[in-house]
Amino acid sequence: MDPVRTCVGCRARASRSALLRVVHTESRLVVDDGGSMPGRGAWVHPRRSCVELALQRRAFVRALRVPGPLDTQTLEERLNSYGNQVNGSK
């Protein structure tokens, strides 16, 4: 059975395989594909609405227990690539 995690954006519970694990590295949010990067992780659905809600609520900062703002460029690029895969464009 797959472990259950809570999305920091919409606060809905989902299986670990349905969520993205996000960690911080040098004040940047980075998607942890393998689920084995060191440090605390925050879990979020791979949907723009959940990520935007988490950023608006400062949920990543709280969940990762880091002071100050985080650079979200890497995470946003990753979400854009998911959207392209869903739409079938390259």
Side-chain angles (χ1 to χ4, degrees):
M1 181 185 259
D2 205 18
V4 175
R5 301 288 185 257
T6 302
C7 173
V8 295
C10 65
R11 303 294 298 160
R13 294 172 51 111
S15 67
R16 182 177 170 174
S17 60
L19 300 170
L20 293 176
R21 182 174 188 257
V22 180
V23 296
H24 74 95
T25 307
E26 299 173 3
S27 296
R28 291 183 307 130
L29 288 177
V30 179
V31 176
D32 181 10
D33 288 324
S36 62
M37 290 180 75
R40 294 186 65 82
W43 297 85
V44 66
H45 285 110
R47 294 189 296 246
R48 182 163 301 283
S49 60
C50 284
V51 172
E52 288 176 357
L53 189 58
L55 292 172
Q56 188 177 45
R57 294 178 40 231
R58 295 179 34 95
F60 286 117
V61 174
R62 273 196 314 277
L64 298 173
R65 297 182 183 171
V66 293
L70 295 168
D71 180 20
T72 61
Q73 182 178 359
T74 307
L75 180 60
E76 289 174 2
E77 289 172 359
R78 182 60 173 274
L79 285 176
N80 288 337
S81 72
Y82 276 128
N84 290 342
Q85 290 173 6
V86 170
N87 295 334
S89 55
K90 295 184 181 191

